[in-house]
Amino acid sequence: MLIVSTTTRQASRTHPPGRGPAIAERTEMLQLENSGPAQTPAKSRPLVPKIDNANWPIWLAGIVGYSYVIAVPLEPYPGHPIIKAIPLLVLSVTAWRRLVPPLRVPFAIALLASAVGDCLLGIDRSAFLKPALFSFLVTQMLYAWLFWRERDDPPSGRGLMVVELIALFGLYLLIIPAVPEGMIIPVIVYSTALLAMATGAARSSIGRLLPLGGALFFVADNLIAVNQFVWPFPHSTRIIVTLYMTAQLMISWSVFAWARQNQTQ
């Protein structure tokens, strides 16, 4: 009413007596009656996590992980295998503290197994390749179970799944002739689990970044095989670890954000 009265007085100063002020008053009253509460636009999940209490472990893991990548030329230096494992240890502890069953145990173990694999490869890639491969196999199997469990219906990501399948077939043709006889079965088993994880991520309903995270993990681990058995390319450690760390951050952030949204509903 204060707005209407003010408008009326202002109109009376600017309009001669007649219909002008009345029309202005009625128009203002209609605008006040028809204006409802302000509509808040629906918030979409940001592609980059905000720095807040919910996402600080993601940022901490990223800072440590990318700092490790920058320091790769300085290896070996004291404790570098532990530093390499710290990002995944941070994410594993976060998963255990924040997630609820049935998600908590498998996702925390998957991240912990990745941390163990990172540490083993950091100690001696050649000597501990098989144990590290087993650790990452645990990760891929648990990831695949989780992603396929929360798959979209109707299915999505079929194009990405086809690309990953073709890429794996091409990788087999490339590396299997060069793989030592004792490693052929472990490589095939791990590659199959890796494909299950990546295709599950492509079909999953857990966040927009999850398909990209799964694809980057797929690329990073296939590059390990290429670098190990076919062509040791320059700056391989920096390239592979950067892709791998980015993939793990994307996967973890997607799962944490998805779980937080579902646990609060």
Side-chain angles (χ1 to χ4, degrees):
M1 291 304 294
L2 178 60
I3 296 174
V4 173
S5 301
T6 304
T7 304
T8 304
R9 289 196 296 271
Q10 291 175 346
S12 64
R13 297 191 189 105
T14 57
H15 294 276
R19 296 178 62 187
I23 292 174
E25 181 177 355
R26 285 198 300 272
T27 302
E28 185 70 21
M29 292 180 66
L30 286 173
Q31 291 176 349
L32 291 173
E33 290 173 359
N34 292 332
S35 62
Q39 298 294 324
T40 303
K43 294 182 178 180
S44 59
R45 186 179 302 170
L47 287 177
V48 178
K50 298 183 295 185
I51 303 178
D52 56 22
N53 290 336
N55 293 316
W56 72 262
I58 300 291
W59 284 93
L60 176 60
I63 291 171
V64 176
Y66 293 129
S67 297
Y68 170 81
V69 173
I70 294 172
V72 163
L74 302 178
E75 292 183 1
Y77 54 85
H80 80 269
I82 301 299
I83 295 175
K84 186 180 180 182
I86 285 177
L88 275 297
L89 290 174
V90 170
L91 296 174
S92 179
V93 171
T94 303
W96 184 263
R97 297 188 60 183
R98 293 189 177 180
L99 302 181
V100 298
L103 190 58
R104 173 192 293 158
V105 173
F107 195 62
I109 291 177
L111 293 166
L112 179 61
S114 287
V116 172
D118 287 338
C119 191
L120 291 174
L121 291 178
I123 295 172
D124 191 326
R125 181 179 298 271
S126 300
F128 294 107
L129 181 60
K130 281 188 178 180
L133 199 64
F134 177 77
S135 296
F136 287 116
L137 177 63
V138 172
T139 298
Q140 304 301 347
M141 292 174 65
L142 292 173
Y143 276 177
W145 171 81
L146 171 61
F147 301 160
W148 281 97
R149 180 176 180 267
E150 301 297 335
R151 62 187 179 273
D152 266 342
D153 191 20
S156 62
R158 285 173 288 188
L160 182 57
M161 293 169 61
V162 172
V163 171
E164 291 167 344
L165 183 60
I166 294 173
L168 185 63
F169 180 72
L171 183 72
Y172 281 159
L173 295 180
L174 179 66
I175 70 169
I176 290 301
V179 174
E181 185 175 350
M183 289 292 297
I184 292 179
I185 298 301
V187 167
I188 291 176
V189 170
Y190 182 77
S191 299
T192 303
L194 182 65
L195 180 65
M197 180 280 300
T199 53
R203 282 201 55 184
S204 180
S205 60
I206 305 177
R208 291 179 294 170
L209 283 182
L210 189 67
L212 181 56
L216 289 179
F217 207 152
F218 181 81
V219 171
D221 278 13
N222 283 326
L223 286 178
I224 291 176
V226 171
N227 184 67
Q228 184 74 23
F229 302 119
V230 181
W231 175 51
F233 54 91
H235 310 293
S236 58
T237 301
R238 277 188 167 184
I239 294 171
I240 291 170
V241 176
T242 299
L243 292 173
Y244 162 76
M245 190 60 59
T246 304
Q248 291 282 31
L249 292 172
M250 287 182 173
I251 290 171
S252 297
W253 182 66
S254 296
V255 171
F256 292 156
W258 174 82
R260 187 165 60 247
Q261 181 180 3
N262 285 271
Q263 289 170 190
T264 55
Q265 288 180 351

